[in-house]
PDB file of all heavy atoms in Angstrom:
ATOM      1  N   ALA A1014     -14.574   5.368  20.976  1.00 32.00           N
ATOM      2  CA  ALA A1014     -13.596   6.174  21.470  1.00 32.00           C
ATOM      3  C   ALA A1014     -12.728   5.561  22.656  1.00 32.00           C
ATOM      4  O   ALA A1014     -11.616   5.530  22.769  1.00 32.00           O
ATOM      5  CB  ALA A1014     -14.074   7.502  21.922  1.00 32.00           C
ATOM      6  N   LEU A1015     -13.585   4.846  23.544  1.00 28.00           N
ATOM      7  CA  LEU A1015     -12.893   4.171  24.723  1.00 28.00           C
ATOM      8  C   LEU A1015     -12.135   2.984  24.255  1.00 28.00           C
ATOM      9  O   LEU A1015     -11.044   2.736  24.615  1.00 28.00           O
ATOM     10  CB  LEU A1015     -14.092   3.696  25.592  1.00 28.00           C
ATOM     11  CG  LEU A1015     -13.617   3.012  26.931  1.00 28.00           C
ATOM     12  CD1 LEU A1015     -12.840   3.914  27.693  1.00 28.00           C
ATOM     13  CD2 LEU A1015     -14.787   2.381  27.663  1.00 28.00           C
ATOM     14  N   HIS A1016     -12.706   2.286  23.235  1.00 30.00           N
ATOM     15  CA  HIS A1016     -11.867   1.135  22.596  1.00 30.00           C
ATOM     16  C   HIS A1016     -10.588   1.609  21.970  1.00 30.00           C
ATOM     17  O   HIS A1016      -9.576   1.049  22.181  1.00 30.00           O
ATOM     18  CB  HIS A1016     -12.710   0.417  21.627  1.00 30.00           C
ATOM     19  CG  HIS A1016     -11.990  -0.730  20.956  1.00 30.00           C
ATOM     20  ND1 HIS A1016     -11.832  -1.923  21.434  1.00 30.00           N
ATOM     21  CD2 HIS A1016     -11.444  -0.681  19.682  1.00 30.00           C
ATOM     22  CE1 HIS A1016     -11.248  -2.661  20.643  1.00 30.00           C
ATOM     23  NE2 HIS A1016     -10.884  -1.918  19.518  1.00 30.00           N
ATOM     24  N   ALA A1017     -10.636   2.758  21.264  1.00 31.00           N
ATOM     25  CA  ALA A1017      -9.457   3.164  20.559  1.00 31.00           C
ATOM     26  C   ALA A1017      -8.424   3.689  21.723  1.00 31.00           C
ATOM     27  O   ALA A1017      -7.169   3.604  21.481  1.00 31.00           O
ATOM     28  CB  ALA A1017      -9.809   4.449  19.752  1.00 31.00           C
ATOM     29  N   ALA A1018      -8.885   4.218  22.837  1.00 31.00           N
ATOM     30  CA  ALA A1018      -7.914   4.736  23.814  1.00 31.00           C
ATOM     31  C   ALA A1018      -7.267   3.508  24.604  1.00 31.00           C
ATOM     32  O   ALA A1018      -6.195   3.678  24.946  1.00 31.00           O
ATOM     33  CB  ALA A1018      -8.680   5.660  24.824  1.00 31.00           C
ATOM     34  N   HIS A1019      -8.118   2.536  24.889  1.00 30.00           N
ATOM     35  CA  HIS A1019      -7.630   1.538  25.793  1.00 30.00           C
ATOM     36  C   HIS A1019      -7.343   0.129  25.194  1.00 30.00           C
ATOM     37  O   HIS A1019      -6.801  -0.728  25.714  1.00 30.00           O
ATOM     38  CB  HIS A1019      -8.692   1.225  26.943  1.00 30.00           C
ATOM     39  CG  HIS A1019      -8.792   2.429  27.757  1.00 30.00           C
ATOM     40  ND1 HIS A1019      -7.874   2.771  28.725  1.00 30.00           N
ATOM     41  CD2 HIS A1019      -9.743   3.418  27.805  1.00 30.00           C
ATOM     42  CE1 HIS A1019      -8.351   3.883  29.315  1.00 30.00           C
ATOM     43  NE2 HIS A1019      -9.400   4.269  28.852  1.00 30.00           N
ATOM     44  N   GLY A1020      -7.660   0.097  23.892  1.00 32.00           N
ATOM     45  CA  GLY A1020      -7.247  -1.231  23.136  1.00 32.00           C
ATOM     46  C   GLY A1020      -8.493  -2.302  23.374  1.00 32.00           C
ATOM     47  O   GLY A1020      -9.402  -2.136  24.008  1.00 32.00           O
ATOM     48  N   PRO A1021      -8.173  -3.474  22.698  1.00 31.00           N
ATOM     49  CA  PRO A1021      -9.238  -4.519  22.771  1.00 31.00           C
ATOM     50  C   PRO A1021      -9.317  -5.212  24.215  1.00 31.00           C
ATOM     51  O   PRO A1021      -8.300  -4.973  24.968  1.00 31.00           O
ATOM     52  CB  PRO A1021      -8.707  -5.434  21.778  1.00 31.00           C
ATOM     53  CG  PRO A1021      -7.235  -5.246  21.694  1.00 31.00           C
ATOM     54  CD  PRO A1021      -7.108  -3.791  21.910  1.00 31.00           C
ATOM     55  N   ALA A1022     -10.363  -5.719  24.499  1.00 29.00           N
ATOM     56  CA  ALA A1022     -10.515  -6.394  25.689  1.00 29.00           C
ATOM     57  C   ALA A1022      -9.467  -7.649  25.862  1.00 29.00           C
ATOM     58  O   ALA A1022      -9.172  -8.235  24.901  1.00 29.00           O
ATOM     59  CB  ALA A1022     -11.915  -7.092  25.825  1.00 29.00           C
ATOM     60  N   GLY A1023      -8.994  -7.631  27.052  1.00 29.00           N
ATOM     61  CA  GLY A1023      -8.016  -8.768  27.123  1.00 29.00           C
ATOM     62  C   GLY A1023      -6.646  -8.222  27.106  1.00 29.00           C
ATOM     63  O   GLY A1023      -5.623  -8.992  27.466  1.00 29.00           O
ATOM     64  N   GLY A1024      -6.388  -6.977  26.681  1.00 28.00           N
ATOM     65  CA  GLY A1024      -4.972  -6.469  26.637  1.00 28.00           C
ATOM     66  C   GLY A1024      -5.083  -5.003  27.008  1.00 28.00           C
ATOM     67  O   GLY A1024      -6.026  -4.284  26.952  1.00 28.00           O
ATOM     68  N   VAL A1025      -4.152  -4.690  27.797  1.00 27.00           N
ATOM     69  CA  VAL A1025      -4.019  -3.269  28.335  1.00 27.00           C
ATOM     70  C   VAL A1025      -3.043  -2.454  27.513  1.00 27.00           C
ATOM     71  O   VAL A1025      -1.865  -2.694  27.572  1.00 27.00           O
ATOM     72  CB  VAL A1025      -3.671  -3.310  29.777  1.00 27.00           C
ATOM     73  CG1 VAL A1025      -3.551  -1.868  30.356  1.00 27.00           C
ATOM     74  CG2 VAL A1025      -4.636  -4.152  30.604  1.00 27.00           C
ATOM     75  N   LEU A1026      -3.478  -1.445  26.793  1.00 30.00           N
ATOM     76  CA  LEU A1026      -2.691  -0.578  25.994  1.00 30.00           C
ATOM     77  C   LEU A1026      -2.611   0.784  26.770  1.00 30.00           C
ATOM     78  O   LEU A1026      -3.521   1.354  27.075  1.00 30.00           O
ATOM     79  CB  LEU A1026      -3.234  -0.316  24.674  1.00 30.00           C
ATOM     80  CG  LEU A1026      -3.489  -1.525  23.796  1.00 30.00           C
ATOM     81  CD1 LEU A1026      -3.936  -1.124  22.427  1.00 30.00           C
ATOM     82  CD2 LEU A1026      -2.159  -2.316  23.643  1.00 30.00           C
ATOM     83  N   ALA A1027      -1.442   1.144  27.220  1.00 30.00           N
ATOM     84  CA  ALA A1027      -1.306   2.429  27.941  1.00 30.00           C
ATOM     85  C   ALA A1027      -1.708   3.575  27.048  1.00 30.00           C
ATOM     86  O   ALA A1027      -1.524   3.593  25.854  1.00 30.00           O
ATOM     87  CB  ALA A1027       0.195   2.659  28.382  1.00 30.00           C
ATOM     88  N   GLN A1028      -2.284   4.574  27.625  1.00 29.00           N
ATOM     89  CA  GLN A1028      -2.674   5.760  26.761  1.00 29.00           C
ATOM     90  C   GLN A1028      -1.519   6.500  26.272  1.00 29.00           C
ATOM     91  O   GLN A1028      -1.721   7.240  25.166  1.00 29.00           O
ATOM     92  CB  GLN A1028      -3.627   6.624  27.694  1.00 29.00           C
ATOM     93  CG  GLN A1028      -4.926   6.064  28.040  1.00 29.00           C
ATOM     94  CD  GLN A1028      -5.856   6.923  28.831  1.00 29.00           C
ATOM     95  OE1 GLN A1028      -5.492   8.155  29.015  1.00 29.00           O
ATOM     96  NE2 GLN A1028      -6.825   6.558  29.384  1.00 29.00           N
ATOM     97  N   THR A1029      -0.347   6.338  26.803  1.00 34.00           N
ATOM     98  CA  THR A1029       0.805   7.190  26.259  1.00 34.00           C
ATOM     99  C   THR A1029       1.419   6.216  25.123  1.00 34.00           C
ATOM    100  O   THR A1029       2.318   6.866  24.549  1.00 34.00           O
ATOM    101  CB  THR A1029       1.864   7.247  27.461  1.00 34.00           C
ATOM    102  OG1 THR A1029       2.106   6.055  27.989  1.00 34.00           O
ATOM    103  CG2 THR A1029       1.364   8.158  28.447  1.00 34.00           C
ATOM    104  N   ARG A1030       0.824   5.099  24.798  1.00 44.00           N
ATOM    105  CA  ARG A1030       1.519   4.314  23.805  1.00 44.00           C
ATOM    106  C   ARG A1030       1.328   4.924  22.440  1.00 44.00           C
ATOM    107  O   ARG A1030       0.138   5.491  22.088  1.00 44.00           O
ATOM    108  CB  ARG A1030       0.885   2.985  23.758  1.00 44.00           C
ATOM    109  CG  ARG A1030       1.351   2.010  22.622  1.00 44.00           C
ATOM    110  CD  ARG A1030       0.919   0.591  22.760  1.00 44.00           C
ATOM    111  NE  ARG A1030       1.455   0.065  24.135  1.00 44.00           N
ATOM    112  CZ  ARG A1030       0.925  -1.064  24.688  1.00 44.00           C
ATOM    113  NH1 ARG A1030      -0.217  -1.556  24.168  1.00 44.00           N
ATOM    114  NH2 ARG A1030       1.461  -1.455  25.753  1.00 44.00           N
ATOM    115  N   PRO A1031       2.297   5.105  21.575  1.00 43.00           N
ATOM    116  CA  PRO A1031       2.110   5.682  20.232  1.00 43.00           C
ATOM    117  C   PRO A1031       1.336   4.730  19.339  1.00 43.00           C
ATOM    118  O   PRO A1031       1.146   3.560  19.762  1.00 43.00           O
ATOM    119  CB  PRO A1031       3.584   5.803  19.778  1.00 43.00           C
ATOM    120  CG  PRO A1031       4.314   4.741  20.372  1.00 43.00           C
ATOM    121  CD  PRO A1031       3.605   4.599  21.705  1.00 43.00           C
ATOM    122  N   PRO A1032       0.938   5.251  18.169  1.00 44.00           N
ATOM    123  CA  PRO A1032       0.100   4.312  17.260  1.00 44.00           C
ATOM    124  C   PRO A1032       0.962   3.406  16.590  1.00 44.00           C
ATOM    125  O   PRO A1032       1.219   3.521  15.465  1.00 44.00           O
ATOM    126  CB  PRO A1032      -0.503   5.396  16.233  1.00 44.00           C
ATOM    127  CG  PRO A1032       0.514   6.554  16.300  1.00 44.00           C
ATOM    128  CD  PRO A1032       1.039   6.604  17.713  1.00 44.00           C
ATOM    129  N   LEU A1033       1.392   2.322  17.313  1.00 51.00           N
ATOM    130  CA  LEU A1033       2.254   1.272  16.652  1.00 51.00           C
ATOM    131  C   LEU A1033       1.389   0.105  16.353  1.00 51.00           C
ATOM    132  O   LEU A1033       0.410  -0.162  16.961  1.00 51.00           O
ATOM    133  CB  LEU A1033       3.299   0.931  17.695  1.00 51.00           C
ATOM    134  CG  LEU A1033       4.204   2.066  18.270  1.00 51.00           C
ATOM    135  CD1 LEU A1033       5.204   1.470  19.214  1.00 51.00           C
ATOM    136  CD2 LEU A1033       4.918   2.674  17.058  1.00 51.00           C
ATOM    137  N   VAL A1034       1.915  -0.725  15.424  1.00 55.00           N
ATOM    138  CA  VAL A1034       1.220  -1.920  14.993  1.00 55.00           C
ATOM    139  C   VAL A1034       2.181  -3.108  15.149  1.00 55.00           C
ATOM    140  O   VAL A1034       3.290  -2.974  14.881  1.00 55.00           O
ATOM    141  CB  VAL A1034       0.738  -1.692  13.454  1.00 55.00           C
ATOM    142  CG1 VAL A1034       0.021  -2.959  13.000  1.00 55.00           C
ATOM    143  CG2 VAL A1034      -0.184  -0.535  13.425  1.00 55.00           C
ATOM    144  N   ALA A1035       1.651  -4.251  15.519  1.00 60.00           N
ATOM    145  CA  ALA A1035       2.379  -5.459  15.568  1.00 60.00           C
ATOM    146  C   ALA A1035       2.265  -6.075  14.183  1.00 60.00           C
ATOM    147  O   ALA A1035       1.045  -6.349  13.658  1.00 60.00           O
ATOM    148  CB  ALA A1035       1.842  -6.390  16.599  1.00 60.00           C
ATOM    149  N   ALA A1036       3.276  -6.466  13.505  1.00 54.00           N
ATOM    150  CA  ALA A1036       3.270  -7.141  12.144  1.00 54.00           C
ATOM    151  C   ALA A1036       2.991  -8.611  12.286  1.00 54.00           C
ATOM    152  O   ALA A1036       3.775  -9.312  12.870  1.00 54.00           O
ATOM    153  CB  ALA A1036       4.533  -6.922  11.390  1.00 54.00           C
ATOM    154  N   GLU A1037       1.794  -9.102  11.928  1.00 47.00           N
ATOM    155  CA  GLU A1037       1.556 -10.512  12.023  1.00 47.00           C
ATOM    156  C   GLU A1037       1.979 -11.285  10.832  1.00 47.00           C
ATOM    157  O   GLU A1037       1.439 -12.390  10.602  1.00 47.00           O
ATOM    158  CB  GLU A1037       0.030 -10.552  12.244  1.00 47.00           C
ATOM    159  CG  GLU A1037      -0.559  -9.838  13.405  1.00 47.00           C
ATOM    160  CD  GLU A1037      -0.089 -10.600  14.792  1.00 47.00           C
ATOM    161  OE1 GLU A1037       0.493 -11.664  14.690  1.00 47.00           O
ATOM    162  OE2 GLU A1037      -0.262  -9.962  15.857  1.00 47.00           O
ATOM    163  N   THR A1038       2.798 -10.778   9.926  1.00 43.00           N
ATOM    164  CA  THR A1038       3.185 -11.394   8.738  1.00 43.00           C
ATOM    165  C   THR A1038       3.940 -12.595   9.066  1.00 43.00           C
ATOM    166  O   THR A1038       4.762 -12.711   9.980  1.00 43.00           O
ATOM    167  CB  THR A1038       3.986 -10.555   7.832  1.00 43.00           C
ATOM    168  OG1 THR A1038       5.144 -10.031   8.686  1.00 43.00           O
ATOM    169  CG2 THR A1038       3.289  -9.415   7.401  1.00 43.00           C
ATOM    170  N   ARG A1039       3.760 -13.696   8.290  1.00 43.00           N
ATOM    171  CA  ARG A1039       4.547 -14.982   8.456  1.00 43.00           C
ATOM    172  C   ARG A1039       5.971 -14.851   8.008  1.00 43.00           C
ATOM    173  O   ARG A1039       6.794 -15.384   8.724  1.00 43.00           O
ATOM    174  CB  ARG A1039       3.810 -16.191   7.561  1.00 43.00           C
ATOM    175  CG  ARG A1039       4.528 -17.425   7.706  1.00 43.00           C
ATOM    176  CD  ARG A1039       3.764 -18.388   6.920  1.00 43.00           C
ATOM    177  NE  ARG A1039       4.570 -19.797   6.895  1.00 43.00           N
ATOM    178  CZ  ARG A1039       4.595 -20.680   7.842  1.00 43.00           C
ATOM    179  NH1 ARG A1039       3.862 -20.420   8.824  1.00 43.00           N
ATOM    180  NH2 ARG A1039       5.269 -21.713   7.763  1.00 43.00           N
ATOM    181  N   HIS A1040       6.270 -14.094   6.992  1.00 45.00           N
ATOM    182  CA  HIS A1040       7.596 -13.851   6.555  1.00 45.00           C
ATOM    183  C   HIS A1040       8.022 -12.406   6.648  1.00 45.00           C
ATOM    184  O   HIS A1040       7.223 -11.576   6.185  1.00 45.00           O
ATOM    185  CB  HIS A1040       7.826 -14.367   5.153  1.00 45.00           C
ATOM    186  CG  HIS A1040       7.544 -15.935   5.026  1.00 45.00           C
ATOM    187  ND1 HIS A1040       8.389 -16.831   5.596  1.00 45.00           N
ATOM    188  CD2 HIS A1040       6.504 -16.625   4.658  1.00 45.00           C
ATOM    189  CE1 HIS A1040       8.003 -18.090   5.341  1.00 45.00           C
ATOM    190  NE2 HIS A1040       6.762 -17.952   4.723  1.00 45.00           N
ATOM    191  N   ALA A1041       9.108 -12.135   7.171  1.00 53.00           N
ATOM    192  CA  ALA A1041       9.542 -10.770   7.295  1.00 53.00           C
ATOM    193  C   ALA A1041       9.881 -10.241   5.910  1.00 53.00           C
ATOM    194  O   ALA A1041      10.377 -10.892   5.012  1.00 53.00           O
ATOM    195  CB  ALA A1041      10.825 -10.613   8.246  1.00 53.00           C
ATOM    196  N   GLY A1042       9.553  -8.983   5.720  1.00 57.00           N
ATOM    197  CA  GLY A1042       9.843  -8.380   4.459  1.00 57.00           C
ATOM    198  C   GLY A1042      10.500  -7.024   4.574  1.00 57.00           C
ATOM    199  O   GLY A1042      10.599  -6.517   5.745  1.00 57.00           O
ATOM    200  N   PRO A1043      10.779  -6.238   3.542  1.00 55.00           N
ATOM    201  CA  PRO A1043      11.334  -4.890   3.673  1.00 55.00           C
ATOM    202  C   PRO A1043      10.322  -3.979   4.126  1.00 55.00           C
ATOM    203  O   PRO A1043       9.159  -4.028   3.689  1.00 55.00           O
ATOM    204  CB  PRO A1043      11.715  -4.642   2.180  1.00 55.00           C
ATOM    205  CG  PRO A1043      10.866  -5.566   1.359  1.00 55.00           C
ATOM    206  CD  PRO A1043      10.588  -6.777   2.118  1.00 55.00           C
ATOM    207  N   PRO A1044      10.640  -3.170   5.098  1.00 56.00           N
ATOM    208  CA  PRO A1044       9.707  -2.231   5.697  1.00 56.00           C
ATOM    209  C   PRO A1044       9.352  -1.145   4.735  1.00 56.00           C
ATOM    210  O   PRO A1044      10.235  -0.724   3.824  1.00 56.00           O
ATOM    211  CB  PRO A1044      10.318  -1.699   6.910  1.00 56.00           C
ATOM    212  CG  PRO A1044      11.814  -1.886   6.610  1.00 56.00           C
ATOM    213  CD  PRO A1044      11.952  -3.119   5.731  1.00 56.00           C
ATOM    214  N   HIS A1045       8.235  -0.430   4.930  1.00 51.00           N
ATOM    215  CA  HIS A1045       8.024   0.819   4.169  1.00 51.00           C
ATOM    216  C   HIS A1045       8.804   1.955   4.797  1.00 51.00           C
ATOM    217  O   HIS A1045       9.038   2.119   5.955  1.00 51.00           O
ATOM    218  CB  HIS A1045       6.536   1.212   4.383  1.00 51.00           C
ATOM    219  CG  HIS A1045       6.215   2.521   3.907  1.00 51.00           C
ATOM    220  ND1 HIS A1045       6.151   2.830   2.492  1.00 51.00           N
ATOM    221  CD2 HIS A1045       5.992   3.769   4.428  1.00 51.00           C
ATOM    222  CE1 HIS A1045       5.935   4.152   2.363  1.00 51.00           C
ATOM    223  NE2 HIS A1045       5.756   4.704   3.523  1.00 51.00           N
ATOM    224  N   ARG A1046       9.566   2.546   3.959  1.00 52.00           N
ATOM    225  CA  ARG A1046      10.506   3.560   4.372  1.00 52.00           C
ATOM    226  C   ARG A1046      10.598   4.819   3.370  1.00 52.00           C
ATOM    227  O   ARG A1046      10.170   4.688   2.202  1.00 52.00           O
ATOM    228  CB  ARG A1046      11.966   2.938   4.515  1.00 52.00           C
ATOM    229  CG  ARG A1046      12.435   2.312   3.149  1.00 52.00           C
ATOM    230  CD  ARG A1046      13.972   2.119   3.166  1.00 52.00           C
ATOM    231  NE  ARG A1046      14.272   0.999   4.028  1.00 52.00           N
ATOM    232  CZ  ARG A1046      15.233   0.991   5.019  1.00 52.00           C
ATOM    233  NH1 ARG A1046      15.727   2.260   5.261  1.00 52.00           N
ATOM    234  NH2 ARG A1046      15.518   0.038   5.770  1.00 52.00           N
TER     235      ARG A1046
END
């Protein structure tokens, strides 16, 4: 629960941050919509 609230070690994720994801894809594609 603590990891989910604060994110991985080495990075600070604010508790107010929404459930967003960084796309690590090599090539941009059409988003899910």
Side-chain angles (χ1 to χ4, degrees):
L1015 182 64
H1016 175 84
H1019 295 280
V1025 179
L1026 301 184
Q1028 293 184 5
T1029 55
R1030 178 171 296 162
L1033 303 176
V1034 179
E1037 299 290 349
T1038 51
R1039 178 176 174 82
H1040 297 285
H1045 173 72
R1046 56 164 74 233

